[in-house]
Amino acid sequence: MSVESLSIPQTFTLKRVSVAETTRKTSWVPLKSLKADTLRSRGFSARSTLNVENGGFRQYPHGVGEKDGVIIVDHGSRRKESNLMLNEFVNIFKEKTGYPIVEPAHMELAEPSIRDAFGLCIQQGANRVIVSPFFLFPGRHWHQDIPSLTADAAKEYPGVSYIITAPLGLHELLVV
């Protein structure tokens, strides 16, 4: 496993990790390559994403498309009521954005898992999966756990690429 650092101005340091056993190349890319203004207007406030694909980096200049699946992943809870709130958020997100393939996932403690949601996206026709952590700030779950769980899920679908967006982060609309 090789690790490199990439410094992004006015944000934080991200690490690029190439995991040999999955034969996938991983790279941090600026969200600009995904039409940041479009994504931000559709609910993505992240400034960077993790792009992973068999064969290496690939840019998607048109933002989120019809064949993209979106997984919104939270931590997960032992409280059923807390987990149901993610389902409500996903329904609102899907309605507001018009994205056809959007699935909820819990990192741990509850179902559906990232693996389950990834499979559901593929069943609905996704050829790329965008995993969007429903977290405010970057931490171990975003940096380590979610990429690892997503890589494990993606192993079953070698022709499908995925990206992991940064967490919600600081945005003025969070305090309105």
Side-chain angles (χ1 to χ4, degrees):
M1 180 181 301
S2 65
V3 178
E4 298 176 33
S5 290
L6 169 66
S7 180
I8 297 178
Q10 298 179 344
T11 55
F12 40 83
T13 299
L14 302 176
K15 291 185 179 178
R16 185 173 81 165
V17 180
S18 177
V19 182
E21 58 269 30
T22 65
T23 67
R24 292 176 182 265
K25 293 182 181 176
T26 306
S27 59
W28 293 104
V29 296
L31 200 54
K32 288 178 186 172
S33 68
L34 295 171
K35 295 281 185 184
D37 293 336
T38 303
L39 293 178
R40 195 170 18 260
S41 70
R42 293 201 177 189
F44 287 92
S45 62
R47 293 183 184 181
S48 61
T49 60
L50 175 64
N51 182 53
V52 182
E53 171 182 2
N54 285 339
F57 173 75
R58 181 170 173 194
Q59 287 188 343
Y60 293 87
H62 304 294
V64 178
E66 286 182 4
K67 293 293 185 177
D68 289 331
V70 177
I71 297 174
I72 300 175
V73 59
D74 70 0
H75 186 277
S77 174
R78 289 184 178 87
R79 291 186 64 234
K80 183 178 179 178
E81 297 82 10
S82 298
N83 296 323
L84 291 174
M85 290 180 78
L86 180 65
N87 295 348
E88 291 175 34
F89 177 82
V90 166
N91 289 335
I92 293 167
F93 180 85
K94 191 171 183 177
E95 182 182 308
K96 295 263 186 203
T97 62
Y99 297 157
I101 306 170
V102 183
E103 293 294 330
H106 306 288
M107 192 188 71
E108 59 187 10
L109 303 175
E111 298 294 326
S113 65
I114 291 174
R115 179 182 303 278
D116 296 337
F118 203 99
L120 288 171
C121 287
I122 303 308
Q123 286 176 14
Q124 295 172 67
N127 57 21
R128 177 175 71 145
V129 177
I130 300 166
V131 179
S132 183
F134 198 54
F135 292 81
L136 282 177
F137 305 109
R140 192 180 115 218
H141 292 320
W142 172 73
H143 184 275
Q144 225 177 317
D145 300 332
I146 292 172
S148 176
L149 292 167
T150 304
D152 286 344
K155 285 179 185 177
E156 297 177 31
Y157 309 97
V160 176
S161 62
Y162 65 93
I163 60 174
I164 299 170
T165 67
L168 298 170
L170 299 175
H171 194 281
E172 61 191 38
L173 292 177
L174 290 173
V175 294
V176 172

